[in-house]
Amino acid sequence: MSAQTLLLLPGWALGSAPLAPLADALRRRLPPSYRVECIEYPGLTSHRPESWVAALDHALPQDAWLAGWSLGGMLATALAQWRGRRARGLIALAANASFVTRSGWPQAMTGEALEDFRHGLRESPTRTFRRFARLSAQGGRDTRRLGRELLAALETTPLDQAMAGLGVLSSLDLREVPPTLKIPQLHLFGEDDALVPAAARHAIAARLPRGGRTASIADAGHAFPLEYAEETAERMATFILAADADEAGP
């Protein structure tokens, strides 16, 4: 069997370290022919999504499964659109089609709330990182531990890169992308996510082509890929292996 790659793109301002347990769990579930890689964003400071997508396309292996958490899931979706058939499949974790509300897409954060967050990041990065860590951990079973882990990762991110990532997060509009993708796609959500409303799952599900799937994890918030790494990996691996079997045919 030829080697295959699964790429994991991290959430906003978090780096790859929080996804390491998920990567390990995936390696235990996927065949040895799969290489699972946690990606670091290469010091990007542009606020333009297309610059990030172009840089990722240049840096990352072709013909790979694209997966990501939150901002990483949105960028994986944009990269899947960019690559077309040169992507094997897409798995988005806790990722909205638009992080901010837009016409016809109310199931997101308001632009005013995001601008308040942006202002807070400029004026008091530590306080704002702490707030984001709390929101990400909210809805889980062990919110204090999750919050501490997320805050430790956030505080290692240079402020200019965090600001750039926030600009990309606010600009990405992927509402029309899922229906156009010709590859297997799974969108996985936490039922009690404080940053991506539950209604976003249903809105995305309504736009998926045949073969696209959504699912949710109970008693889980935005940080479910950390808190429920084993269950998340099980769902991802099951989807990937089923897609591989469909591609191989009878």
Side-chain angles (χ1 to χ4, degrees), residues 28-247:
R28 293 194 299 271
R29 287 167 170 80
L30 291 171
S33 57
Y34 267 88
R35 184 173 71 251
V36 181
E37 297 183 12
C38 290
I39 302 306
E40 292 284 356
Y41 298 128
L44 297 168
T45 56
S46 170
H47 290 230
R48 299 170 63 244
E50 55 269 31
S51 297
W52 283 54
V53 174
L56 290 170
D57 183 55
H58 177 76
L60 301 181
Q62 298 288 334
D63 300 313
W65 274 86
L66 304 173
W69 172 33
S70 192
L71 172 60
M74 297 183 74
L75 286 168
T77 302
L79 183 56
Q81 180 188 37
W82 180 289
R83 289 186 167 182
R85 292 286 188 176
R86 292 180 294 119
R88 292 186 63 86
L90 167 69
I91 301 179
L93 309 172
N96 209 333
S98 173
F99 195 74
V100 296
T101 55
R102 302 181 193 276
S103 175
W105 197 267
Q107 48 277 355
M109 180 182 289
T110 66
E112 292 79 6
L114 189 65
E115 187 54 41
D116 178 65
F117 194 85
R118 194 194 315 270
H119 176 76
L121 188 60
R122 291 193 201 99
E123 298 300 317
S124 180
T126 298
R127 183 187 307 165
T128 305
F129 282 150
R130 188 175 294 116
R131 176 187 170 197
F132 179 74
R134 284 198 302 266
L135 286 170
S136 296
Q138 186 175 320
R141 293 175 302 182
D142 191 350
T143 57
R144 289 188 178 182
R145 178 185 62 81
L146 279 175
R148 288 194 301 268
E149 291 179 5
L150 291 167
L151 182 59
L154 288 162
E155 289 180 332
T156 67
T157 303
L159 184 58
D160 60 343
Q161 293 179 30
M163 291 296 297
L166 195 62
V168 171
L169 193 62
S170 65
S171 299
L172 274 169
D173 182 0
L174 305 168
R175 292 173 294 167
E176 304 306 322
V177 174
T180 70
L181 298 179
K182 308 299 184 186
I183 56 176
Q185 52 181 313
L186 169 66
H187 300 258
L188 189 58
F189 300 88
E191 281 190 356
D192 301 312
D193 193 325
L195 292 169
V196 178
R201 175 193 171 187
H202 304 294
I204 290 172
R207 293 168 181 251
L208 292 180
R210 182 178 179 183
R213 297 285 183 269
T214 68
S216 63
I217 294 180
D219 301 318
H222 196 66
F224 73 81
L226 283 70
E227 186 172 26
Y228 295 94
E230 296 293 335
E231 181 176 348
T232 303
E234 182 66 29
R235 290 177 181 248
M236 293 174 67
T238 297
F239 184 78
I240 289 169
L241 295 176
D244 286 350
D246 287 344
E247 184 179 0

